Amino acid sequence: MYEGLNPYEFIYMSRLGDSYARTALFRMYEKKLMCKVNVEMKRNGRFKIYRDDFVDEAYLALLIAMESYRPVCNCSFDTYLDIVIKRRFVDLIRKYNTASRIQVHNCIPFDAAFEHLDYVCTPELMASPLEEPEYYVRYQDAKVKLKEIVAHLSKKEKEIYDLWYEDLSYEEASQRLGISKSAYAGRLYRLKKSIREQLEE
């Protein structure tokens, strides 16, 4: 059905809501994504235990590139995708390096409140910001708002949210739902974006 189409045509069709085109594009780039992950694992061997996280980030990078790429970027889609993947990997490596270098303190930063309802471990150099009255009030407001947002999610959105909250890999979550990894990645991306926008209102 899609034989002979190039990535740009798949991107266009995907943006029109063609889920088959999106799946086809994911299949087209699957080897490239795995190659990027393998290269990163060879370069940073100590992160091999986090391989699944790098795979998830690679798929998420493709989804982000599909939605954000524009011809005005002055580069090919492949080059643009390489940049997005690299940035996602760098952020992930920085996260793990920071976590291993700094004592972990049990607190929840305001700008990451939507990630978890009750508990998050985050690197903390100084005293917990929750000890600051203004920050504490803002955090509590955000937590209440998040619970309200989650309570009003549709049944399908709640399924995605629960799988995300369980911290499952894209492969595990998509298998539970009986859908492709690309479909799950798309739903999760849209859900997180919607939650963030509502929190920032």
Side-chain angles (χ1 to χ4, degrees), residues 121-173:
C121 283
T122 188
E124 188 62 42
L125 285 172
M126 303 176 69
S128 169
L130 291 177
E131 295 176 7
E132 296 293 329
E134 183 179 351
Y135 188 99
Y136 181 80
V137 171
R138 290 172 61 205
Y139 164 69
Q140 290 298 329
D141 288 344
K143 187 175 179 180
V144 170
K145 190 171 184 179
L146 174 60
K147 287 184 177 180
E148 291 175 354
I149 293 171
V150 172
H152 288 87
L153 292 176
S154 67
K155 184 178 179 180
K156 288 186 176 181
E157 288 175 330
K158 188 65 168 58
E159 278 185 321
I160 298 295
Y161 181 88
D162 289 341
L163 293 172
W164 170 43
Y165 190 73
E166 287 183 47
D167 201 25
L168 297 181
S169 68
Y170 281 29
E171 185 170 359
E172 292 172 319

Side-chain angles (χ1 to χ4, degrees), residues 31-66:
K31 287 185 178 179
K32 178 186 178 79
L33 299 181
M34 293 306 100
C35 180
K36 290 289 184 182
V37 172
N38 291 336
V39 169
E40 198 62 49
M41 293 299 94
K42 288 182 180 178
R43 182 183 296 126
N44 293 289
R46 63 198 180 95
F47 293 117
K48 284 184 178 180
I49 58 174
Y50 302 116
R51 178 184 171 80
D52 286 347
D53 291 342
F54 281 88
V55 171
D56 290 347
E57 287 299 317
Y59 277 104
L60 184 57
L62 176 55
L63 183 66
I64 292 172
M66 287 166 58

Side-chain angles (χ1 to χ4, degrees), residues 9-136:
E9 292 169 312
F10 282 132
I11 292 170
Y12 175 74
M13 293 167 68
S14 176
R15 289 175 181 171
L16 292 178
D18 190 330
S19 60
Y20 292 103
R22 174 173 291 180
T23 298
L25 190 64
F26 266 72
R27 287 176 179 167
M28 178 183 288
Y29 280 94
E30 188 167 18
K31 287 185 178 179
K32 178 186 178 79
L33 299 181
M34 293 306 100
C35 180
K36 290 289 184 182
V37 172
N38 291 336
V39 169
E40 198 62 49
M41 293 299 94
K42 288 182 180 178
R43 182 183 296 126
N44 293 289
R46 63 198 180 95
F47 293 117
K48 284 184 178 180
I49 58 174
Y50 302 116
R51 178 184 171 80
D52 286 347
D53 291 342
F54 281 88
V55 171
D56 290 347
E57 287 299 317
Y59 277 104
L60 184 57
L62 176 55
L63 183 66
I64 292 172
M66 287 166 58
E67 297 195 2
S68 61
Y69 177 77
R70 298 291 184 276
V72 293
C73 294
N74 294 322
C75 65
S76 68
F77 176 73
D78 280 55
T79 300
Y80 184 76
L81 175 59
D82 287 342
I83 294 171
V84 177
I85 291 174
K86 185 63 177 177
R87 288 178 178 172
R88 302 293 305 185
F89 283 0
V90 167
D91 287 344
L92 194 58
I93 290 171
R94 184 180 295 121
K95 169 188 169 183
Y96 290 136
N97 280 337
T98 301
S100 63
R101 188 170 62 244
I102 303 174
Q103 182 178 2
V104 173
H105 187 84
N106 296 345
C107 67
I108 305 178
F110 177 73
D111 60 356
F114 77 98
E115 296 272 349
H116 298 277
L117 283 172
D118 299 314
Y119 176 80
V120 162
C121 283
T122 188
E124 188 62 42
L125 285 172
M126 303 176 69
S128 169
L130 291 177
E131 295 176 7
E132 296 293 329
E134 183 179 351
Y135 188 99
Y136 181 80

